[in-house]
Amino acid sequence: MPIVPPQQRPDVRRDRTDVRQAEAALVEHYPHLVRLAYVVLPPGLGRHRRVLAAHAVVQRALPAVGGGAPTARVPAQSRRSRPTGEATGTDSGTGTDTGTAYGWMRLRVLRTALAYERRPRWWPGRLPAPAALRPTVPVVWGLRLFPRAGGVDELALDRALSRVDGAARAAFALQVLEGLDASAVRDLLARAAVDDPADAVRRAAGLGSPDRDGARAMLGSGEFDPCTVQTRPSDLLRRRQRVRAAAVAAALCVLAGGLAVAVEESTRATGADRRPAGALAPVLDPAELLRTAAEQWADTSRVDFTAWPARGGRTSDTELLGRALRAWAEPPGSVRVSATPGTGTVPPVEPPRLLFAGEVDGAAVVLFHDSADRVVRYAEPLSGTGGAALDFARTDDADVTTGGAVVIGRTGDGARFLLAPWIAESTTRDLLAPDTPGRPLAVGRDGVTAAVPRPALGGACDAWPVLQLRSSERIVEKHAFLVTDLGDLAPVHLTYTPKPGRAAPARQPREATGPEALLAWARTACSLRTLSAAGVRSVNNWAFAEQKLPEGGGPADWLCTRAETWRGPGRALVQFLPAAASPTEPATVVADRGDTALCGRFGQHVLAGTHWKAPSGRWYVLAAGSRAVTRIEAKGAVRGSADGTAFAVRAPRDAEVELTAAVRGGGTLPAVY
């Protein structure tokens, strides 16, 4: 008879050994791995869900015996490798530690954390994604968890990290927290299935300051520590109401199951009057809308859209509110939907906050704010056959200024704004008339302004209307600021950073209401046209250098106009302002960079150049650098150098010149074009 070989059994004992090694590494380095996951996870999750997700990512990284054991065995001599360059073993000499228990666990943590950003774009932010793309988040009932707040530097770094994708955040964290070099980071990201590891490393380099130890200290602070958290209760009264409502709803569902099916079939046939079904029904119930007390803005440390009360003459119109919520949940074909770049249009996962419901310029308008930091405007015509409109805009980390107003309606060349409850005074002024004082702007009892002329985004640029708003002294004493309409729901906050003083520390952005700021904006306002409808949050004019022009050409200023978007990426325009006969003569744009840290908190050094014609008709190459520049050098068609932050050399009109600068503390800086 034939001899049948014995059935092979998996080496379960070896699997268990490997899993125990991985578990030992996880337990030993758990806080470090959770911090790494927290940095890599999308900041858009919110701090509470990001804390829970970071713990879930690390805990889920531990494989199951027999099914999810490591494919590469963990070497016995490397069972307890350590983070931050202390590993005892490496894989292929790259320094990535993927052959050690810790390195292997770190790789699994990276893969799972990065998978959060590979969820389908249409997947709601708080609804569960497919199992392959999400870890199981621990459940915390009745509490909100937050890492301890850091300082200004930590907050700025967190905002900078939110402006890049997970791959760049992972590259930054691996270099700063793990101490890996660029080559090792690229190798590890490739193993984590990142499409372009080299690009991620390049973008991460734009996040970190030259002081890597400082960046490590910031990432090591409480701001990025999901293992040391503060707790706050969720809405206790609403939670009790929901529990009671859930019990009643369950009983009703049991008694009226058949009737519910019939009603669902009937409402399907009614088209526009269809109500959302399933889990979204209580979320989109007008009775569940959040409403803030009228005076809460003066008694809270969070002065943003969560402090706005519900205003307008139709806040009790449940039919209007219901139509707005249903259009949000499932917009019919007759509703025009628009969103600023990077803003999701999915239904809310929690009842949104009602900010306004009323009539504006022949339309019924409803304004919501939801937990995903979005402002949503629904508008339907009061008469006629026109369709409704649904507009979305991001409002991440809005504050006194960026949360100070919202466009509530537009007609023709004008726009009306809904002002925040803390705005005590409102005027309008023209940026192209810097010496003309502002004119009072009428505001209704519901916070809606009179129509304000809109900047002309095409044709002649002969005026640029802006709002000058002043906060109540109950918030900030004598705080006035400028905002302008660039076509989005949220107007853009305009600021100014003055010229560097001699031997003075670096200046910080300030409100653009002073004479010097207004003169600078008078010559650069028309460049704002290139930023229309781009989801811009704020624009800062930084006067980074001044220069005396050759041949008695007078003084010239160099400005970097930086636009910050709500979704993160920034854009920088470098502009040259020679002496001019008119205070509104447009500046010359000499460089334009998109998706850059240039001229921001993490791009504080800049060098730029341009060709300039002297009154005599001779041409020069001019260059100027920011305050840390100590020497500028030109190579190419002409050669020359000069100490300091300014440089000029005779050159043909079209001469090709390469400009570089030496920076205080060492290093060179190329010119931006």
Side-chain angles (χ1 to χ4, degrees), residues 544-558 574-579 588-591 606-615 618-626 629 631-635 638-642 644-661 670-673:
F544 67 86
E546 54 185 339
Q547 179 177 23
K548 290 185 178 179
L549 298 177
E551 301 186 18
D557 292 334
W558 293 78
V574 179
Q575 307 196 61
F576 174 62
L577 287 73
T588 301
V589 177
V590 300
V606 59
L607 171 69
T610 187
H611 290 80
W612 174 76
K613 185 179 181 180
R618 300 185 184 95
W619 282 90
Y620 287 80
V621 168
L622 306 179
S626 50
V629 169
R631 184 176 178 81
I632 300 175
E633 183 176 354
K635 297 179 180 179
V638 294
R639 305 180 69 87
S641 62
T645 59
F647 169 81
V649 63
R650 283 277 305 276
R653 177 177 182 176
D654 298 322
E656 294 186 3
V657 179
E658 179 184 352
L659 297 168
T660 57
V672 59
Y673 297 100

Side-chain angles (χ1 to χ4, degrees), residues 18 66 84 112 122 135 178 182 188 198 210 334 339 347 355 382 471 536 583 627:
D18 289 336
T84 319
T112 309
W122 47 264
E178 300 290 307
L188 189 54
S334 60
L355 305 183
L382 295 175
S471 302
V536 175
R627 61 190 303 274

Side-chain angles (χ1 to χ4, degrees), residues 174-256:
L174 290 172
Q175 293 183 63
V176 175
L177 289 177
E178 300 290 307
L180 301 180
D181 58 27
S183 175
V185 171
R186 286 193 296 269
D187 179 74
L188 189 54
L189 292 180
R191 293 172 181 268
V194 172
D195 294 334
D196 191 348
D199 179 65
V201 172
R202 282 194 298 271
R203 287 183 287 114
L207 292 172
S209 62
D211 182 6
R212 185 65 71 176
D213 291 337
R216 182 177 295 112
M218 284 189 282
L219 280 188
S221 68
E223 180 78 28
F224 300 95
D225 183 9
C227 289
T228 304
V229 296
Q230 303 177 84
T231 62
R232 294 290 185 275
S234 57
D235 192 328
L236 299 176
L237 294 177
R238 182 171 294 278
R239 198 168 70 221
R240 292 173 182 173
Q241 292 170 357
R242 287 177 178 173
V243 170
R244 290 194 296 268
V248 173
L252 291 176
C253 286
V254 172
L255 296 175

